[in-house]
Amino acid sequence: MPAEGFAHQLLIRRSTDKKQLASGRLDYEYAYFLIRAPAADPVTEAIVRAGVCWKIEEYKEPLYAAPPLLQRMVDAGRLGRKSGSGFYTY
């Protein structure tokens, strides 16, 4: 249950381009997001906020890009505790 004055909303996002899925066929990708927002906010307000985040993710705006060192670590599989190494060795 959400906290008092908040509500859960489910947003479904479809990719803008068809992509090759794990099954090998071409189709749109769908992502589901369960968000918690003030109950008084209309759904359109949540969509606008989410759209800003999605635009940054999709278009890779340089201002919000990951630092080169961090990108190299992710590419090398150094994901922190999950992989046993990252900035530290676990």
Side-chain angles (χ1 to χ4, degrees):
M1 295 294 301
E4 187 175 330
F6 286 82
H8 285 144
Q9 298 172 340
L10 179 66
L11 298 181
I12 303 171
R13 176 185 182 222
R14 186 185 81 184
S15 61
T16 55
D17 299 323
K18 287 190 175 186
K19 299 178 181 182
Q20 186 161 2
L21 303 179
S23 64
R25 68 184 176 93
L26 289 177
D27 202 352
Y28 294 104
E29 265 184 336
Y30 292 89
Y32 301 88
F33 300 90
L34 180 63
I35 62 168
R36 186 180 61 139
D41 283 1
V43 174
T44 53
E45 196 63 36
I47 292 169
V48 168
R49 288 189 200 127
V52 170
C53 294
W54 292 336
K55 182 180 179 204
I56 291 168
E57 290 173 6
E58 191 168 304
Y59 296 109
K60 311 281 188 210
E61 292 186 20
L63 179 62
Y64 303 107
L69 172 62
L70 188 57
Q71 190 61 54
R72 287 194 305 271
M73 291 175 70
V74 169
D75 293 342
R78 297 181 64 182
L79 306 174
R81 290 184 181 170
K82 181 187 285 189
S83 65
S85 67
F87 288 105
Y88 306 100
T89 301
Y90 298 93

